[in-house]
Amino acid sequence: NVEKIVQMNMPVALFQTRVTLDGAMALQVDNEQGGYLAASELLSRGYQRIGYLHGSPDGSFWEGEERFSGFKKCMETAGCTIEKEFFGNRDYGNAYRLTQQIVESGIDALFCETDLMAYGVLQGLYEAKVAVPDRLAVLGFDNTKFVNYESQVHLSTIGQPLDAMAEYTAKAIVNKIENENSDVIILNGDIIDEYTTDSEKKEVFQTLGRLSKTTPVFYIFGNHDTGEYSLNNHSSYDYLKKLIESYGIEVLADKSVTLDNLTIIGRKDLH
């Protein structure tokens, strides 16, 4: 329960939610502006019969509804209307199955509320030998890359600055913790995972290492820190331990430490 955590005076960041609470930071992408930019981009490229693929049939995808609001506002400002609306469920397969209906509608451009749906449509267009973007342009939202498709076609998309938002959130939480004058800080692992790049790992622990200048900081490994379940982004335990400790954070792995009347024990996962 987020409200209880906030009441305990613990630092909380609400990332990509509609929830706002006194005492908690909140970061949110401007979906309406993103939708506006999507329509503006398609209109600037001369497309006239523009379709729209919703991420839910009942308005339950609230981020999509905000994107639709901005998209529609831009179209109306330009004196244009949306040629045809389609309704998916943010699912790749569902979007793929809508492809024939999309092609038969006669539109010359389509905005999809998520990249996952956009790639589903692209796959259907590819199999139907429909030229993209000459016959039908597709624009997504999220800036999600599907490597197996990028060799066939590059998806144009409205990007979300998630990396920048995550960086800002982490630094803001660290700033708040620094001001709390804590006696000890325990980081329970899985702060990074299989998708965290080497440069991001360094940045994460450099930021967290700021805390060690005034407070003892301990790190206990989780299941995903070393990228154990990734074939391409695996870090050795020794490398990661050395990296973490280089920023003044002590790793507890089959090790305990006693501070006053508190004993902290960290175990080392067996793989």
Side-chain angles (χ1 to χ4, degrees), residues 122-157:
L122 284 175
Q123 179 63 27
L125 295 175
Y126 178 77
E127 293 179 6
K129 295 182 170 42
V130 175
V132 178
D134 297 336
R135 163 60 181 85
L136 178 57
V138 178
L139 178 62
F141 193 108
D142 283 333
N143 196 26
T144 301
K145 298 301 181 186
F146 284 57
V147 178
N148 52 327
Y149 287 102
E150 289 298 309
S151 61
Q152 300 173 11
V153 60
H154 174 72
L155 173 65
S156 296
T157 181

Side-chain angles (χ1 to χ4, degrees), residues 57-263:
D58 56 4
S60 58
F61 179 40
W62 62 267
E63 295 101 322
E65 290 302 293
E66 291 179 352
R67 293 165 195 174
F68 180 65
S69 175
F71 192 93
K72 187 176 180 181
K73 184 182 296 184
C74 180
M75 295 289 286
E76 291 175 346
T77 300
C80 302
T81 59
I82 299 173
E83 182 77 13
K84 181 72 175 179
E85 294 179 46
F86 307 92
F87 296 88
N89 58 8
R90 304 190 301 286
D91 177 72
Y92 172 94
N94 176 269
Y96 168 80
R97 289 187 289 274
L98 285 171
T99 304
Q100 183 176 352
Q101 182 182 340
I102 291 169
V103 173
E104 292 176 351
S105 70
I107 61 173
D108 59 6
L110 177 72
F111 174 62
C112 304
E113 285 185 345
T114 71
D115 283 347
L116 185 59
M117 293 193 299
Y119 278 110
V121 172
L122 284 175
Q123 179 63 27
L125 295 175
Y126 178 77
E127 293 179 6
K129 295 182 170 42
V130 175
V132 178
D134 297 336
R135 163 60 181 85
L136 178 57
V138 178
L139 178 62
F141 193 108
D142 283 333
N143 196 26
T144 301
K145 298 301 181 186
F146 284 57
V147 178
N148 52 327
Y149 287 102
E150 289 298 309
S151 61
Q152 300 173 11
V153 60
H154 174 72
L155 173 65
S156 296
T157 181
I158 303 297
Q160 301 188 68
L162 297 182
D163 289 344
M165 292 174 67
E167 179 183 351
Y168 177 85
T169 302
K171 290 181 178 179
I173 290 178
V174 168
N175 288 339
K176 184 172 177 60
I177 293 175
E178 284 180 320
N179 294 328
E180 294 292 332
N181 297 318
S182 304
D183 296 321
V184 62
I185 297 171
I186 304 171
L187 304 172
N188 286 323
D190 286 345
I191 291 176
I192 57 176
D193 61 18
E194 289 79 7
Y195 302 100
T196 311
T197 65
D198 285 342
S199 62
E200 289 170 339
K201 292 172 186 175
K202 292 176 182 178
E203 188 170 359
V204 165
F205 291 112
Q206 183 179 30
T207 299
L208 293 172
R210 284 169 38 193
L211 299 170
S212 67
K213 296 178 180 179
T214 56
T215 306
V217 181
F218 301 96
Y219 196 88
I220 301 172
F221 274 92
N223 293 324
H224 297 271
D225 290 292
T226 61
E228 185 71 21
Y229 305 104
S230 171
L231 296 176
N232 302 316
N233 195 27
H234 179 76
S235 298
S236 71
Y237 167 82
D238 290 336
Y239 164 79
L240 200 55
K241 181 176 182 293
K242 184 177 180 180
L243 173 67
I244 294 171
E245 293 186 336
S246 71
Y247 293 109
I249 302 170
E250 183 174 352
V251 174
L252 297 182
D254 290 343
K255 180 180 178 182
S256 66
V257 62
T258 299
L259 301 173
D260 295 330
N261 62 346
L262 173 67
T263 299

